Coordinates of all heavy atoms in Angstrom, one line a residue:
M21 N 113.5 39.0 89.0 CA 113.0 39.4 90.3 C 114.2 39.5 91.2 O 115.1 38.7 91.3 CB 112.0 38.3 90.8 CG 110.7 38.3 90.1 SD 109.5 37.1 90.7 CE 109.2 37.8 92.3
G22 N 114.1 40.6 92.0 CA 115.2 40.9 92.9 C 115.0 40.2 94.2 O 113.9 39.6 94.5
A23 N 116.0 40.3 95.1 CA 115.9 39.6 96.4 C 114.7 40.1 97.2 O 114.4 41.3 97.3 CB 117.2 39.9 97.2
G24 N 114.0 39.1 97.7 CA 112.8 39.4 98.5 C 111.6 39.9 97.8 O 110.6 40.3 98.4
A25 N 111.7 39.9 96.5 CA 110.5 40.4 95.7 C 109.4 39.3 95.7 O 109.8 38.1 95.9 CB 110.9 40.7 94.2
C26 N 108.2 39.6 95.5 CA 107.1 38.7 95.5 C 106.1 38.9 94.4 O 105.7 40.0 94.1 CB 106.3 38.9 96.9 SG 104.9 37.8 97.1
L27 N 105.8 37.7 93.7 CA 104.7 37.7 92.7 C 103.6 36.9 93.3 O 103.7 35.7 93.4 CB 105.3 37.1 91.4 CG 104.4 37.2 90.2 CD1 104.1 38.6 89.8 CD2 105.1 36.5 89.0
G28 N 102.5 37.5 93.6 CA 101.4 36.9 94.3 C 100.7 35.8 93.6 O 100.8 35.7 92.4
D29 N 100.0 35.0 94.3 CA 99.2 33.9 93.8 C 98.2 34.4 92.7 O 97.5 35.3 92.9 CB 98.4 33.2 94.9 CG 97.8 31.9 94.5 OD1 98.4 31.2 93.8 OD2 96.7 31.6 95.0
G30 N 98.3 33.7 91.6 CA 97.4 34.1 90.5 C 97.7 35.3 89.7 O 97.0 35.7 88.8
A31 N 98.9 35.9 90.0 CA 99.3 37.1 89.3 C 99.8 36.7 87.9 O 100.2 35.6 87.7 CB 100.4 37.8 90.0
H32 N 99.6 37.6 86.9 CA 100.0 37.3 85.5 C 101.1 38.2 85.1 O 101.0 39.4 85.3 CB 98.8 37.5 84.6 CG 97.7 36.5 84.8 ND1 97.6 35.3 84.2 CD2 96.6 36.6 85.6 CE1 96.5 34.7 84.6 NE2 95.9 35.5 85.5
A33 N 102.2 37.7 84.6 CA 103.3 38.5 84.0 C 103.4 38.2 82.5 O 104.0 37.2 82.1 CB 104.6 38.1 84.8
Y34 N 102.7 38.9 81.7 CA 102.6 38.8 80.3 C 103.9 39.4 79.8 O 104.0 40.6 79.5 CB 101.4 39.4 79.7 CG 101.2 39.2 78.2 CD1 101.1 37.9 77.7 CD2 101.0 40.2 77.3 CE1 100.9 37.6 76.4 CE2 100.8 40.0 76.0 CZ 100.8 38.7 75.5 OH 100.6 38.5 74.2
S35 N 104.9 38.6 79.7 CA 106.3 39.1 79.5 C 106.8 38.9 78.1 O 107.9 38.3 77.9 CB 107.2 38.4 80.5 OG 107.2 37.0 80.3
L36 N 106.2 39.5 77.1 CA 106.7 39.6 75.8 C 107.9 40.5 75.8 O 108.8 40.4 75.0 CB 105.7 40.0 74.7 CG 104.6 39.0 74.5 CD1 103.6 39.6 73.4 CD2 105.1 37.7 74.1
G37 N 107.9 41.5 76.7 CA 109.0 42.4 77.0 C 109.5 42.2 78.4 O 108.9 41.4 79.2
L38 N 110.5 42.9 78.8 CA 111.1 42.7 80.1 C 110.2 43.2 81.2 O 109.5 44.2 81.1 CB 112.4 43.6 80.2 CG 113.1 43.7 81.5 CD1 113.8 42.3 81.9 CD2 114.1 44.8 81.6
I39 N 110.1 42.4 82.3 CA 109.4 42.8 83.5 C 110.5 42.7 84.6 O 111.0 41.6 84.8 CB 108.2 41.9 83.8 CG1 107.1 42.0 82.8 CG2 107.7 42.3 85.2 CD1 106.0 41.1 83.0
D40 N 110.8 43.8 85.2 CA 111.9 43.9 86.2 C 111.2 44.2 87.5 O 110.8 45.3 87.8 CB 112.9 45.0 85.8 CG 114.0 45.1 86.7 OD1 114.2 44.3 87.6 OD2 114.8 46.1 86.6
I41 N 111.1 43.2 88.4 CA 110.5 43.4 89.7 C 111.7 43.4 90.7 O 112.3 42.4 90.9 CB 109.5 42.2 90.0 CG1 108.4 42.2 89.0 CG2 108.9 42.4 91.4 CD1 107.5 40.9 89.1
Q42 N 112.0 44.6 91.2 CA 113.2 44.8 91.9 C 113.1 44.4 93.4 O 112.0 44.1 93.9 CB 113.7 46.2 91.7 CG 114.1 46.5 90.3 CD 114.5 47.9 90.0 OE1 114.6 48.7 90.9 NE2 114.7 48.2 88.7
A43 N 114.2 44.4 94.1 CA 114.3 43.9 95.5 C 113.2 44.5 96.4 O 112.9 45.7 96.4 CB 115.7 44.3 96.1
G44 N 112.5 43.6 97.1 CA 111.5 43.9 98.1 C 110.2 44.4 97.5 O 109.3 44.7 98.3
A45 N 110.1 44.4 96.2 CA 108.8 44.8 95.6 C 107.8 43.7 95.7 O 108.1 42.5 95.7 CB 109.0 45.2 94.1
T46 N 106.5 44.0 95.8 CA 105.4 43.1 95.9 C 104.4 43.3 94.8 O 103.9 44.4 94.6 CB 104.7 43.2 97.3 OG1 105.7 42.9 98.3 CG2 103.5 42.2 97.4
V47 N 104.0 42.2 94.1 CA 102.9 42.2 93.2 C 101.9 41.3 93.8 O 102.1 40.1 93.9 CB 103.4 41.8 91.8 CG1 102.2 41.7 90.8 CG2 104.5 42.7 91.2
A48 N 100.8 41.9 94.2 CA 99.8 41.1 95.0 C 99.0 40.1 94.0 O 99.1 40.2 92.8 CB 98.8 42.0 95.7
Q49 N 98.2 39.3 94.7 CA 97.4 38.3 94.0 C 96.6 38.8 92.8 O 96.0 39.9 93.0 CB 96.6 37.4 94.9 CG 95.5 38.2 95.6 CD 95.9 38.9 96.9 OE1 97.1 39.1 97.2 NE2 94.9 39.3 97.7
E50 N 96.6 38.1 91.7 CA 95.8 38.4 90.6 C 96.1 39.7 89.9 O 95.3 40.1 89.0 CB 94.3 38.2 90.9 CG 93.9 36.8 91.3 CD 92.5 36.6 91.6 OE1 91.6 37.4 91.1 OE2 92.1 35.6 92.3
A51 N 97.2 40.3 90.2 CA 97.6 41.5 89.4 C 98.0 41.1 88.0 O 98.3 39.9 87.8 CB 98.7 42.2 90.1
Y52 N 98.0 42.0 87.1 CA 98.3 41.7 85.7 C 99.3 42.7 85.2 O 99.1 43.9 85.2 CB 97.0 41.7 84.8 CG 97.2 41.0 83.5 CD1 96.6 39.8 83.3 CD2 97.9 41.6 82.4 CE1 96.7 39.1 82.1 CE2 98.0 40.9 81.2 CZ 97.4 39.6 81.1 OH 97.6 39.0 79.9
L53 N 100.5 42.2 84.9 CA 101.6 43.0 84.3 C 101.6 42.7 82.8 O 101.9 41.6 82.4 CB 102.9 42.7 85.0 CG 102.9 42.7 86.5 CD1 104.3 42.3 87.0 CD2 102.5 44.1 87.0
C54 N 101.4 43.7 82.0 CA 101.2 43.5 80.5 C 102.2 44.3 79.7 O 102.1 45.5 79.7 CB 99.8 43.8 80.1 SG 99.4 43.5 78.4
T55 N 103.2 43.6 79.1 CA 104.2 44.4 78.4 C 103.9 44.5 76.9 O 104.7 45.1 76.2 CB 105.6 43.6 78.5 OG1 105.4 42.3 77.9 CG2 106.0 43.6 79.9
A56 N 102.8 44.1 76.4 CA 102.5 44.1 75.0 C 101.1 44.7 74.7 O 100.2 44.5 75.5 CB 102.6 42.8 74.4
S57 N 100.9 45.3 73.6 CA 99.6 45.8 73.1 C 99.7 45.8 71.6 O 100.5 45.1 71.0 CB 99.3 47.2 73.6 OG 98.0 47.5 73.3
H58 N 98.8 46.6 70.9 CA 98.8 46.7 69.5 C 98.8 48.2 69.1 O 98.2 49.0 69.9 CB 97.6 46.0 68.9 CG 97.7 44.5 69.1 ND1 98.3 43.7 68.2 CD2 97.2 43.7 70.1 CE1 98.2 42.4 68.6 NE2 97.6 42.4 69.8
D59 N 99.3 48.6 68.0 CA 99.3 49.9 67.5 C 98.0 50.0 66.7 O 97.9 49.7 65.5 CB 100.5 50.3 66.7 CG 100.5 51.7 66.2 OD1 99.5 52.4 66.3 OD2 101.5 52.2 65.7
F60 N 96.9 50.5 67.3 CA 95.6 50.6 66.7 C 95.5 51.7 65.7 O 94.5 51.8 65.0 CB 94.5 50.7 67.8 CG 94.5 49.5 68.7 CD1 94.9 49.5 70.0 CD2 94.0 48.2 68.2 CE1 94.9 48.4 70.8 CE2 94.0 47.1 69.0 CZ 94.4 47.2 70.3
H61 N 96.5 52.6 65.6 CA 96.5 53.6 64.6 C 96.9 53.1 63.2 O 96.8 53.8 62.2 CB 97.4 54.8 65.0 CG 96.9 55.4 66.3 ND1 97.4 55.2 67.5 CD2 95.9 56.4 66.4 CE1 96.8 55.9 68.4 NE2 95.9 56.6 67.8
K62 N 97.5 51.9 63.1 CA 97.9 51.3 61.9 C 96.9 50.2 61.5 O 96.5 49.5 62.3 CB 99.3 50.8 62.0 CG 100.3 51.9 62.3 CD 101.7 51.3 62.4 CE 102.7 52.4 62.7 NZ 104.1 51.9 62.8
P63 N 96.6 50.1 60.2 CA 95.6 49.1 59.7 C 95.9 47.7 60.1 O 95.1 46.9 60.5 CB 95.6 49.3 58.2 CG 96.1 50.7 58.0 CD 97.0 51.0 59.1
A64 N 97.2 47.3 60.1 CA 97.6 46.0 60.4 C 97.6 45.7 61.9 O 97.8 44.6 62.4 CB 99.0 45.6 59.8
Q65 N 97.5 46.8 62.7 CA 97.5 46.7 64.2 C 98.7 45.9 64.7 O 98.5 44.9 65.4 CB 96.2 46.2 64.7 CG 95.0 47.0 64.4 CD 93.7 46.5 64.9 OE1 93.6 45.4 65.4 NE2 92.7 47.3 64.6
P66 N 99.9 46.3 64.3 CA 101.1 45.4 64.7 C 101.3 45.4 66.3 O 100.9 46.4 67.0 CB 102.3 46.2 64.1 CG 101.8 47.6 63.9 CD 100.3 47.5 63.7
L67 N 101.9 44.4 66.7 CA 102.2 44.2 68.1 C 103.3 45.2 68.5 O 104.2 45.5 67.8 CB 102.8 42.8 68.4 CG 103.0 42.4 69.8 CD1 101.7 42.2 70.5 CD2 103.8 41.1 69.8
T68 N 103.1 45.8 69.7 CA 104.1 46.7 70.3 C 104.4 46.1 71.7 O 103.6 45.6 72.4 CB 103.5 48.1 70.5 OG1 102.4 48.1 71.3 CG2 103.1 48.8 69.2
V69 N 105.7 46.3 72.0 CA 106.2 45.8 73.3 C 107.0 46.8 74.0 O 107.8 47.5 73.4 CB 107.1 44.5 73.0 CG1 107.7 44.0 74.3 CG2 106.3 43.4 72.3
S70 N 106.8 47.0 75.3 CA 107.5 47.9 76.1 C 107.7 47.3 77.5 O 106.8 46.6 78.0 CB 106.8 49.3 76.3 OG 106.6 49.9 75.1
P71 N 108.8 47.6 78.2 CA 109.1 46.9 79.5 C 108.3 47.5 80.6 O 107.8 48.7 80.5 CB 110.6 47.2 79.7 CG 110.8 48.5 78.9 CD 109.9 48.4 77.7
I72 N 108.2 46.8 81.7 CA 107.6 47.3 82.9 C 108.7 47.2 84.0 O 109.4 46.1 84.1 CB 106.4 46.4 83.4 CG1 105.2 46.7 82.4 CG2 106.0 46.7 84.8 CD1 104.0 45.8 82.6
V73 N 108.9 48.2 84.8 CA 109.9 48.2 85.9 C 109.1 48.5 87.2 O 108.4 49.5 87.2 CB 111.0 49.3 85.6 CG1 112.0 49.3 86.8 CG2 111.7 49.0 84.3
I74 N 109.3 47.7 88.1 CA 108.8 47.9 89.5 C 110.0 48.0 90.4 O 110.7 47.1 90.7 CB 107.8 46.7 89.9 CG1 106.7 46.6 88.9 CG2 107.3 47.0 91.3 CD1 105.9 45.4 89.0
E75 N 110.2 49.2 90.9 CA 111.4 49.6 91.6 C 111.3 49.0 93.1 O 110.2 48.6 93.5 CB 111.6 51.1 91.6 CG 112.0 51.6 90.3 CD 112.3 53.1 90.2 OE1 112.3 53.7 91.3 OE2 112.5 53.6 89.1
P76 N 112.4 49.0 93.8 CA 112.5 48.4 95.1 C 111.4 48.9 96.0 O 111.0 50.1 96.1 CB 113.8 48.8 95.7 CG 114.7 49.0 94.4 CD 113.8 49.5 93.4
D77 N 110.8 47.9 96.8 CA 109.9 48.2 97.9 C 108.5 48.8 97.4 O 107.7 49.2 98.2 CB 110.5 49.1 99.0 CG 111.8 48.5 99.5 OD1 111.8 47.3 99.8 OD2 112.8 49.2 99.6
A78 N 108.3 48.8 96.1 CA 107.0 49.2 95.6 C 105.9 48.1 95.9 O 106.3 46.9 96.1 CB 107.0 49.5 94.1
F79 N 104.7 48.4 95.9 CA 103.6 47.5 96.2 C 102.5 47.7 95.1 O 102.0 48.8 94.9 CB 103.0 47.7 97.6 CG 101.9 46.7 97.9 CD1 102.3 45.5 98.5 CD2 100.6 46.9 97.6 CE1 101.3 44.5 98.8 CE2 99.6 46.0 97.9 CZ 100.0 44.8 98.5
I80 N 102.2 46.6 94.4 CA 101.1 46.6 93.4 C 99.9 45.8 94.0 O 100.1 44.6 94.3 CB 101.5 45.9 92.1 CG1 102.9 46.4 91.6 CG2 100.4 46.0 91.1 CD1 102.9 47.9 91.2
G81 N 98.8 46.5 94.2 CA 97.6 45.8 94.9 C 97.0 44.7 94.1 O 97.2 44.6 92.9
A82 N 96.2 44.0 94.7 CA 95.5 42.8 94.1 C 94.6 43.3 92.9 O 94.0 44.3 93.0 CB 94.5 42.2 95.1
R83 N 94.7 42.5 91.9 CA 93.9 42.7 90.6 C 94.2 44.1 89.9 O 93.5 44.5 89.0 CB 92.4 42.6 90.9 CG 92.1 41.2 91.3 CD 90.6 41.0 91.2 NE 90.3 39.6 91.5 CZ 89.1 39.1 91.6 NH1 88.1 39.9 91.5 NH2 88.9 37.8 91.9
A84 N 95.3 44.7 90.3 CA 95.7 45.9 89.5 C 96.2 45.5 88.1 O 96.7 44.3 87.9 CB 96.8 46.7 90.3
F85 N 96.1 46.4 87.2 CA 96.6 46.1 85.8 C 97.6 47.2 85.4 O 97.3 48.4 85.5 CB 95.4 46.2 84.8 CG 95.7 45.7 83.5 CD1 95.2 44.4 83.1 CD2 96.4 46.4 82.5 CE1 95.5 43.9 81.8 CE2 96.6 46.0 81.3 CZ 96.2 44.7 80.9
V86 N 98.8 46.8 85.1 CA 99.9 47.7 84.8 C 100.2 47.5 83.3 O 100.5 46.4 82.8 CB 101.2 47.4 85.6 CG1 102.3 48.3 85.2 CG2 100.9 47.5 87.1
L87 N 100.1 48.7 82.5 CA 100.2 48.7 81.1 C 101.7 48.7 80.6 O 102.6 49.0 81.4 CB 99.5 49.9 80.5 CG 98.0 49.6 80.2 CD1 97.2 49.5 81.5 CD2 97.4 50.7 79.3
P88 N 101.9 48.4 79.4 CA 103.3 48.4 78.8 C 104.0 49.8 79.0 O 103.3 50.8 78.9 CB 103.1 48.1 77.3 CG 101.8 47.4 77.2 CD 100.9 48.0 78.3
G89 N 105.3 49.7 79.3 CA 106.1 51.0 79.3 C 106.0 51.7 80.7 O 106.6 52.8 80.8
V90 N 105.3 51.1 81.6 CA 105.1 51.8 82.9 C 106.2 51.4 83.9 O 106.6 50.3 84.0 CB 103.7 51.5 83.5 CG1 103.6 51.9 85.0 CG2 102.6 52.1 82.7
S91 N 106.6 52.4 84.7 CA 107.6 52.2 85.8 C 106.8 52.6 87.1 O 106.2 53.6 87.1 CB 108.8 53.0 85.6 OG 109.6 52.6 84.5
I92 N 107.0 51.8 88.1 CA 106.4 52.0 89.4 C 107.6 52.4 90.3 O 108.5 51.6 90.5 CB 105.7 50.8 90.0 CG1 104.6 50.3 89.0 CG2 105.1 51.2 91.3 CD1 103.5 51.2 88.6
G93 N 107.7 53.6 90.8 CA 108.8 54.1 91.5 C 109.0 53.4 92.9 O 108.1 52.8 93.4
R94 N 110.2 53.6 93.3 CA 110.6 53.0 94.6 C 109.6 53.4 95.7 O 109.3 54.6 95.9 CB 112.0 53.6 95.0 CG 112.5 53.1 96.4 CD 113.8 53.8 96.7 NE 114.9 53.2 96.0 CZ 115.6 52.2 96.3 NH1 115.4 51.6 97.4 NH2 116.6 51.8 95.5
G95 N 109.2 52.4 96.4 CA 108.3 52.6 97.6 C 106.9 53.1 97.2 O 106.1 53.4 98.1
A96 N 106.5 53.1 95.9 CA 105.2 53.5 95.5 C 104.2 52.5 95.9 O 104.5 51.3 96.0 CB 105.2 53.9 94.0
L97 N 102.9 52.9 96.0 CA 101.8 52.0 96.3 C 100.7 52.2 95.2 O 100.3 53.3 94.9 CB 101.2 52.4 97.6 CG 99.9 51.7 98.0 CD1 100.1 50.2 98.2 CD2 99.3 52.3 99.3
V98 N 100.3 51.1 94.6 CA 99.3 51.0 93.6 C 98.1 50.3 94.3 O 98.2 49.2 94.7 CB 99.7 50.3 92.3 CG1 98.5 50.1 91.4 CG2 100.9 51.0 91.7
G99 N 96.9 51.0 94.3 CA 95.8 50.4 95.0 C 95.2 49.3 94.2 O 95.4 49.1 93.0
A100 N 94.5 48.4 94.9 CA 93.8 47.2 94.4 C 92.9 47.6 93.2 O 92.2 48.7 93.3 CB 93.0 46.5 95.4
C101 N 92.9 46.8 92.2 CA 92.0 47.0 91.0 C 92.3 48.3 90.2 O 91.5 48.6 89.3 CB 90.5 47.0 91.4 SG 90.0 45.4 92.2
S102 N 93.4 48.9 90.4 CA 93.8 50.1 89.7 C 94.3 49.7 88.3 O 94.8 48.6 88.1 CB 94.9 50.9 90.4 OG 94.4 51.3 91.6
V103 N 94.1 50.6 87.3 CA 94.6 50.5 86.0 C 95.7 51.5 85.8 O 95.4 52.7 85.7 CB 93.5 50.6 84.9 CG1 94.1 50.5 83.5 CG2 92.4 49.5 85.1
V104 N 96.9 51.1 85.7 CA 98.1 52.0 85.7 C 98.5 52.3 84.3 O 99.1 51.4 83.6 CB 99.2 51.5 86.6 CG1 100.3 52.6 86.7 CG2 98.7 51.1 88.0
T105 N 98.2 53.5 83.8 CA 98.5 53.8 82.4 C 99.7 54.7 82.2 O 100.2 54.8 81.1 CB 97.3 54.6 81.8 OG1 97.1 55.8 82.5 CG2 96.0 53.7 81.8
R106 N 100.2 55.2 83.3 CA 101.4 56.1 83.3 C 102.4 55.7 84.4 O 101.9 55.1 85.5 CB 101.0 57.5 83.5 CG 100.1 58.1 82.5 CD 99.9 59.5 82.8 NE 98.5 59.9 82.3 CZ 98.0 61.0 82.4 NH1 98.7 62.0 82.9 NH2 96.8 61.3 81.9
S107 N 103.6 56.1 84.3 CA 104.6 55.8 85.4 C 104.2 56.5 86.7 O 103.6 57.5 86.6 CB 106.0 56.2 84.9 OG 106.4 55.3 83.9
V108 N 104.6 55.8 87.8 CA 104.2 56.3 89.1 C 105.5 56.8 89.8 O 106.5 56.0 89.8 CB 103.6 55.2 89.9 CG1 103.3 55.6 91.3 CG2 102.3 54.7 89.2
P109 N 105.6 58.0 90.3 CA 106.8 58.5 90.9 C 107.1 57.7 92.2 O 106.2 57.1 92.8 CB 106.5 59.9 91.3 CG 105.1 60.2 90.7 CD 104.5 59.0 90.3
P110 N 108.3 57.8 92.7 CA 108.7 57.1 93.9 C 107.9 57.6 95.1 O 107.5 58.8 95.2 CB 110.2 57.6 94.1 CG 110.7 57.9 92.7 CD 109.5 58.4 92.0
H111 N 107.5 56.7 96.0 CA 106.8 57.0 97.2 C 105.4 57.6 97.0 O 104.8 58.1 98.0 CB 107.6 57.8 98.2 CG 109.0 57.3 98.4 ND1 109.2 56.1 99.2 CD2 110.2 57.6 98.0 CE1 110.4 55.8 99.2 NE2 111.1 56.7 98.4
A112 N 104.9 57.5 95.8 CA 103.5 58.0 95.5 C 102.5 56.9 95.8 O 102.8 55.7 95.8 CB 103.4 58.5 94.1
T113 N 101.2 57.3 96.0 CA 100.1 56.4 96.1 C 99.2 56.7 95.0 O 98.7 57.9 94.8 CB 99.4 56.5 97.5 OG1 100.4 56.2 98.5 CG2 98.2 55.6 97.5
V114 N 98.8 55.7 94.2 CA 97.9 55.9 93.1 C 96.7 54.9 93.2 O 97.0 53.8 93.7 CB 98.5 55.8 91.7 CG1 99.6 56.9 91.5 CG2 99.1 54.4 91.4
A115 N 95.6 55.2 92.7 CA 94.4 54.3 92.7 C 93.4 54.7 91.7 O 93.4 55.9 91.3 CB 93.8 54.2 94.1
G116 N 92.6 53.8 91.2 CA 91.5 54.1 90.4 C 91.7 53.6 89.0 O 92.7 52.9 88.6
N117 N 90.7 53.9 88.1 CA 90.7 53.5 86.7 C 90.3 54.7 85.9 O 89.1 55.0 85.8 CB 89.8 52.3 86.5 CG 89.7 51.9 85.0 OD1 90.5 52.4 84.2 ND2 88.8 51.0 84.7
P118 N 91.3 55.4 85.2 CA 92.7 55.1 85.3 C 93.3 55.6 86.7 O 92.7 56.4 87.4 CB 93.3 56.0 84.2 CG 92.4 57.1 84.1 CD 91.0 56.5 84.4
A119 N 94.4 55.0 87.1 CA 95.0 55.3 88.3 C 95.4 56.8 88.4 O 95.9 57.3 87.4 CB 96.3 54.4 88.6
R120 N 95.1 57.4 89.5 CA 95.4 58.8 89.7 C 96.1 59.0 91.0 O 96.0 58.2 92.0 CB 94.1 59.6 89.8 CG 93.3 59.6 88.5 CD 92.2 60.6 88.5 NE 91.3 60.4 87.4 CZ 91.5 60.8 86.1 NH1 92.6 61.4 85.8 NH2 90.6 60.6 85.2
L121 N 97.0 60.0 91.0 CA 97.8 60.3 92.2 C 96.9 60.7 93.4 O 96.1 61.6 93.3 CB 98.8 61.4 91.9 CG 99.8 61.8 93.0 CD1 100.7 60.6 93.2 CD2 100.6 63.0 92.5
L122 N 97.1 60.0 94.5 CA 96.3 60.3 95.7 C 97.2 61.1 96.7 O 96.8 62.0 97.4 CB 95.9 59.1 96.5 CG 94.9 58.2 95.7 CD1 94.5 57.0 96.5 CD2 93.6 59.0 95.2
H123 N 98.5 60.7 96.7 CA 99.5 61.5 97.5 C 100.9 60.9 97.3 O 101.1 59.8 96.7 CB 99.2 61.7 98.9 CG 99.2 60.4 99.8 ND1 98.5 59.3 99.5 CD2 99.8 60.2 101.0 CE1 98.7 58.4 100.4 NE2 99.5 58.9 101.3

């Protein structure tokens, strides 16, 4: 976690892989950052791990779910209860399930 970054009350950081919460970024209460899943295309369903990067001054809303391999760009905003399946560009606002670009 970078200087001034915040991981809210009840947030989960499932950190089998790297979670990089950079300076001034906020992860609100009960958000879930998940760096691992399974490869369901293979019979053994092996574990897969990918990092999550939350760039400076980004905001992850309450109860949002961020999937493995996602980056949240500098100053981006993720709406509450959103499911983020793809990386979010800097200064963008996304919301929904799956999260979609609002502006």
